[in-house]
Amino acid sequence: MKLKDKDIVSVEDLSKGDISKILETTKKIDEGDLKADMSGKVLANVFFEPSTRTRLSFETAMKRLGGDVISLNSTQASSISKGESLADTVRVLEGYSDVIVLRHPKEGAPKMASQFVEKPVINAGDGSNEHPTQTLTDLYTIWSEKGSIDGLKIAILGDLKYGRTVHSLVQPLVEYDIQLYLVSPSQLSIRRSILEDLGKKSGEVIQKASIEEIIDKLDVLYVTRIQEERFADKEEYEKVSGSYEINKELLDQADDDLIVMHPLPRIDEISPEVDGLKQSKYFDQSKNGVKIRMALLELILGDNDGKRT
Amino acid sequence: MEKELRVRPIKNGTVIDHLTAGLALKVVKILGIDETIKEVVSIVMNVSSESMGKKDIVKVENRELNSDEVDKISLIAPKATINIIRDHEIVEKHRVSLPDTVEEFIECPNSKCITNTNEPIKSKFKVINEKEVKLKCEYCQRTIKGEITGYIKKP
């Protein structure tokens, strides 16, 4: 399917072919082959929740391609504090920009926004629902580090209940021929409905309570932060806080080729001593976020319809 | 014979038959029938049925329910039949069929869903027909299964 003018609100909207196209384009950009020219185009960064990496990486991506960026970062400093609906806000911003990048605490907000505007909408995170551009970054990191996704043993560790990066990532991962270990404290296990959907795909899904018993089998360890801000009850958060930590001692039992990923920010899930190990790839992963967003902008807004000669 | 009938046949309107016993009140709720309705509505519960043992029936006089309205019923009563009556004659008889999507009348159980805000949109669920019927919110992707009547929007 062509990605030109396409909304990216859910990974479900992307076929395996779309994902391959995005990863291949990212690889070309990674190799220094810049084709798209965004001069004269404007990206609207619309963030109703705090963000560092996602907002700045979209901004960097657009600027590196020669485009401009306008930002709405605080609900206090705009008409939203006067009670303007999101539907109205995005319709106004559509008049100022060529693409709208939206982060919103309400789940499904980007989907709704996409129904009110003609210009493409990119979901930059909606509550604990999805974060598709992080997923593409994650897939690219795995693919570029390992050369392929098929055949890998991948564990996702941490907050599988509230972590939106997890909800987005597991769906395309199980389209590949992989073994996927979902490792979490029982209070933070993945929602049953998501698990049921995963069971119908090619990848094998195995739930585990501790990382120690599988660490020596893994090719990829994807660690996530416990989403404190999504807990309704502080006491519930305290019960699970600090319940897992990736450190040198644990990684001594792992394969040398294991890669450790994290969507960041981290709190205490990965000990700083891991940063210097060759297995740690989370800062490379973060850097890949700019390239993947450049590729997406090229494919969605570019004039050559993703064709590179 | 006439004396044995608990509810008289209707002249014009809709008869929803073959409801599993106990579902009539839920069906009425799904149809949005409440104290504001002007038409005569008869609800018959636990009547004997050869094929079902016991069944419920709902009759709405002088109103022909359209398929969009009645198909909602299939979410809880897939075996229901709909009879349209004109001048005491059954002029249409059909089974309910599961719609592809349901809009507006179900409320998403996820309090953080964008449909539970003041934004100008209606709730919308994809109907997934597997071993049991499931509804998946088209916005936040949350799934509802089992007892869906608890999620019907209050008028």
Side-chain angles (χ1 to χ4, degrees):
Chain A
M1 189 194 279
K2 283 180 181 170
L3 288 155
K4 174 85 174 153
D5 295 327
K6 193 173 160 70
D7 299 309
I8 309 289
V9 297
S10 164
V11 285
E12 276 188 9
D13 302 337
L14 298 171
S15 67
K16 210 171 163 183
D18 291 335
I19 290 174
S20 298
K21 178 93 194 162
I22 296 164
L23 300 187
E24 296 284 354
T25 307
T26 308
K27 186 164 181 252
K28 299 249 169 57
I29 290 170
D30 208 355
E31 291 163 355
D33 182 12
L34 286 187
K35 278 283 190 296
D37 178 9
M38 293 291 143
S39 55
K41 293 204 163 108
V42 176
L43 177 149
N45 251 339
V46 187
F47 279 69
F48 290 86
E49 273 191 330
S51 164
T52 311
R53 273 154 293 275
T54 307
R55 184 171 57 82
L56 292 179
S57 62
F58 266 112
E59 187 162 343
T60 307
M62 191 61 175
K63 287 182 172 168
R64 284 206 174 143
L65 294 172
D68 277 320
V69 178
I70 55 171
S71 297
L72 189 152
N73 291 330
S74 165
T75 54
Q76 298 306 316
S78 73
S79 310
I80 287 89
S81 59
K82 299 171 194 156
E84 186 178 52
S85 69
L86 176 64
D88 282 1
T89 304
V90 292
R91 277 181 285 190
V92 170
L93 289 172
E94 179 181 33
Y96 307 161
S97 59
D98 300 282
V99 57
I100 295 172
V101 175
L102 175 65
R103 171 170 289 188
H104 200 279
K106 292 291 178 186
E107 295 166 19
K111 169 96 178 174
M112 183 203 78
S114 73
Q115 292 168 347
F116 282 89
V117 297
E118 295 289 320
K119 303 271 172 67
V121 172
I122 302 178
N123 181 358
D126 56 333
S128 57
N129 186 31
E130 282 214 40
H131 195 354
T133 61
Q134 179 66 48
T135 295
L136 292 166
T137 304
D138 299 340
L139 291 173
Y140 180 72
T141 305
I142 297 172
W143 180 71
S144 60
E145 289 290 336
K146 293 288 182 185
S148 164
I149 297 175
D150 283 318
L152 296 178
K153 292 186 174 70
I154 300 172
I156 303 183
L157 167 68
D159 187 346
L160 312 186
K161 184 177 180 184
Y162 296 109
R164 61 188 167 205
T165 56
V166 175
H167 299 158
S168 279
L169 178 59
V170 290
Q171 295 179 53
L173 269 185
V174 292
E175 298 285 346
Y176 295 89
D177 182 19
I178 62 158
Q179 277 187 329
L180 178 64
Y181 294 92
L182 299 176
V183 190
S184 68
S186 60
Q187 301 95 316
L188 297 177
S189 55
I190 200 156
R191 280 204 293 270
R192 183 163 291 278
S193 60
I194 297 178
L195 200 59
E196 283 171 3
D197 285 345
L198 299 183
K200 298 167 199 153
K201 305 291 170 57
S202 350
E204 185 185 355
V205 181
I206 305 138
Q207 284 187 288
K208 290 280 176 195
S210 95
I211 191 68
E212 283 77 9
E213 57 179 302
I214 52 164
I215 187 74
D216 59 336
K217 297 180 189 166
L218 298 176
D219 301 298
V220 178
L221 171 58
Y222 188 99
V223 187
T224 65
R225 170 179 71 91
I226 296 179
Q227 305 279 309
E228 181 180 3
E229 66 278 22
R230 314 257 176 236
F231 277 77
D233 187 342
K234 186 91 181 156
E235 269 183 33
E236 288 300 311
Y237 169 72
E238 299 294 345
K239 276 185 204 164
V240 288
S241 168
S243 57
Y244 52 91
E245 189 200 35
I246 304 305
N247 51 34
K248 247 178 167 169
E249 195 187 336
L250 179 77
L251 293 179
D252 277 345
Q253 302 163 49
D255 198 294
D256 279 352
D257 293 333
L258 170 81
I259 60 168
V260 180
M261 296 169 62
H262 192 303
L264 304 177
R266 72 172 151 179
I267 308 297
D268 53 10
E269 322 70 66
I270 301 180
S271 162
E273 67 188 18
V274 175
D275 298 357
L277 302 181
K278 82 176 186 56
Q279 292 148 316
S280 77
K281 294 292 173 195
Y282 27 93
F283 292 113
D284 297 303
Q285 183 186 355
S286 173
K287 210 191 293 176
N288 287 338
V290 174
K291 297 166 202 159
I292 206 98
R293 289 172 177 109
M294 287 169 78
L296 264 185
L297 293 172
E298 173 180 328
L299 292 166
I300 295 171
L301 293 183
D303 298 323
N304 58 354
D305 214 12
K307 288 189 188 73
R308 281 167 164 262
T309 47
Chain B
M1 190 69 185
E2 191 71 14
K3 277 183 185 169
E4 289 178 13
L5 288 173
R6 287 175 174 81
V7 178
R8 65 182 170 82
I10 62 173
K11 186 180 178 191
N12 292 301
T14 308
V15 176
I16 305 163
D17 201 351
H18 299 108
L19 296 169
T20 305
L23 287 182
L25 294 176
K26 290 175 181 169
V27 164
V28 162
K29 194 175 177 194
I30 285 187
L31 291 173
I33 293 172
D34 59 17
E35 64 278 7
T36 61
I37 194 165
K38 303 278 188 296
E39 291 84 9
V40 174
V41 178
S42 314
I43 298 168
V44 192
M45 297 174 74
N46 296 322
V47 290
S48 298
S49 156
E50 269 184 32
S51 60
M52 301 174 73
K54 281 182 173 180
K55 66 173 182 177
D56 289 359
I57 305 169
V58 174
K59 300 184 182 191
V60 185
E61 290 187 38
N62 297 320
R63 184 167 147 196
E64 293 185 7
L65 297 173
N66 64 40
S67 63
D68 283 351
E69 286 178 283
V70 294
D71 281 349
K72 291 178 194 169
I73 297 168
S74 65
L75 296 172
I76 61 161
K79 290 178 190 157
T81 52
I82 309 297
N83 299 322
I84 304 292
I85 315 288
R86 285 182 203 148
D87 211 13
H88 292 297
E89 295 290 325
I90 298 175
V91 293
E92 271 180 48
K93 184 173 182 129
H94 54 89
R95 284 183 173 275
V96 290
S97 60
L98 216 50
D100 295 333
T101 56
V102 287
E103 276 188 60
E104 202 169 12
F105 86 106
I106 298 282
E107 194 169 83
C108 185
N110 176 9
S111 62
K112 291 183 177 148
C113 179
I114 192 74
T115 60
N116 289 320
T117 62
N118 293 328
E119 296 292 338
I121 46 161
K122 296 171 182 170
S123 72
K124 188 172 179 186
F125 292 84
K126 190 175 172 195
V127 179
I128 302 166
N129 186 14
E130 291 171 344
K131 279 180 202 153
E132 60 176 329
V133 173
K134 289 192 283 190
L135 300 179
K136 186 172 184 184
C137 176
E138 296 237 309
Y139 291 92
C140 74
Q141 307 190 52
R142 201 59 63 88
T143 307
I144 303 175
K145 57 183 178 178
E147 184 60 65
I148 69 132
T149 42
Y151 302 108
I152 295 170
K153 268 192 185 163
K154 315 270 180 308

